[in-house]
Amino acid sequence: MRVLFISDVYFPRVNGVSTSIRTFREDLASCDVETLLVAPRYEPELAPEHGILRVPATRVPRDPEDRRMSWRALKRTLDALPHGSFDLVHIQTPFLAHYAGVRCARRAGVACVATYHTFFEEYLHHYLPVIPRPVSRLLARSFTRSQCAAVQALIAPSEPMREVLEAYGVRTPGHSSPISVGWRTRRTSAFCCRCSRRC
């Protein structure tokens, strides 16, 4: 099995998403699952890394650590992948990577899963402080339902996060897996295999 990971963030940006992607890929490799990660390019540019394609990116206003990938360059990178080179798309973040991942999976005719890392309604007001917090929470929940409906399956990094998604009204099949724990990642690998066969 071959899995295409797409993320709006990865090392050298240090956070929980970067760490879990690395752990996930290492554990999947131990199960003979091949992975390719598409992620932003950071400055200074790093040496080429096996299994990682870097997409040109720019700084995010008011956020010096993160980068925003060029939509055109991201599409070009994904469209250049040979047909049949992956069996499943695994989205890691709810920004450009999400929309590019859904588009890529549809064009390739493969299933698409997403890991929902972040309790997004608690963060949206930081990005849109002019919107009253009750309104931003409603927007975040609607945004989450819409994104989750676009994929075939969800992975939550904890049972409380899976319960939050259910409370939002998300109906996409889900699986909770603390992906920093290897044997649970292997369970998630089996879950991804089942998802790829549903397509």
Side-chain angles (χ1 to χ4, degrees), residues 76-117:
R76 188 166 54 244
T77 298
L78 295 174
D79 290 348
L81 296 175
H83 182 73
S85 61
F86 52 90
D87 306 299
L88 180 72
V89 173
H90 189 164
I91 298 166
Q92 297 291 321
T93 47
F95 305 107
L96 286 182
H98 173 86
Y99 299 102
V102 169
R103 173 184 177 273
C104 180
R106 287 176 179 166
R107 287 168 61 91
V110 301
C112 185
V113 303
T115 293
Y116 200 88
H117 291 277

Side-chain angles (χ1 to χ4, degrees), residues 36-58:
L36 174 67
L37 170 64
V38 175
R41 181 183 300 161
Y42 294 81
E43 300 295 341
E45 192 169 344
L46 302 172
E49 305 155 278
H50 177 71
I52 300 177
L53 295 178
R54 296 285 186 170
V55 175
T58 57

Side-chain angles (χ1 to χ4, degrees), residues 7-199:
S7 178
D8 293 282
V9 62
Y10 192 59
F11 295 112
R13 172 70 163 99
V14 177
N15 64 13
V17 175
S18 299
T19 301
S20 60
I21 291 171
R22 174 181 282 172
T23 302
F24 212 147
R25 294 183 71 219
E26 288 172 351
D27 284 344
L28 290 177
S30 74
C31 301
D32 297 321
V33 175
E34 297 177 28
T35 63
L36 174 67
L37 170 64
V38 175
R41 181 183 300 161
Y42 294 81
E43 300 295 341
E45 192 169 344
L46 302 172
E49 305 155 278
H50 177 71
I52 300 177
L53 295 178
R54 296 285 186 170
V55 175
T58 57
R59 291 183 178 273
V60 176
R62 303 177 58 195
D63 187 351
E65 295 181 307
D66 288 313
R67 299 292 181 269
R68 181 177 57 229
M69 291 183 285
S70 159
W71 175 250
R72 182 176 296 177
L74 178 56
K75 286 198 304 179
R76 188 166 54 244
T77 298
L78 295 174
D79 290 348
L81 296 175
H83 182 73
S85 61
F86 52 90
D87 306 299
L88 180 72
V89 173
H90 189 164
I91 298 166
Q92 297 291 321
T93 47
F95 305 107
L96 286 182
H98 173 86
Y99 299 102
V102 169
R103 173 184 177 273
C104 180
R106 287 176 179 166
R107 287 168 61 91
V110 301
C112 185
V113 303
T115 293
Y116 200 88
H117 291 277
T118 306
F119 190 24
F120 199 58
E121 73 173 75
E122 293 301 319
Y123 286 85
L124 187 59
H125 67 276
H126 292 299
Y127 295 99
L128 301 171
V130 297
I131 299 177
R133 187 170 291 199
V135 175
S136 70
R137 284 179 176 163
L138 289 174
L139 288 173
R141 292 180 184 201
S142 175
F143 173 78
T144 296
R145 285 192 298 271
S146 173
Q147 288 203 333
C148 292
V151 300
Q152 283 69 59
L154 294 167
I155 298 170
S158 67
E159 187 63 20
M161 179 60 79
R162 190 185 66 80
E163 291 170 356
V164 164
L165 295 175
E166 286 186 355
Y168 284 1
V170 170
R171 296 291 173 257
T172 304
H175 173 79
S176 61
S177 176
I179 56 179
S180 61
V181 182
W183 70 270
R184 293 193 176 180
T185 304
R186 287 188 280 277
R187 286 178 50 211
T188 302
S189 172
F191 175 75
C192 290
C193 289
R194 290 196 303 275
C195 293
S196 69
R197 290 193 292 267
R198 290 177 189 163
C199 184

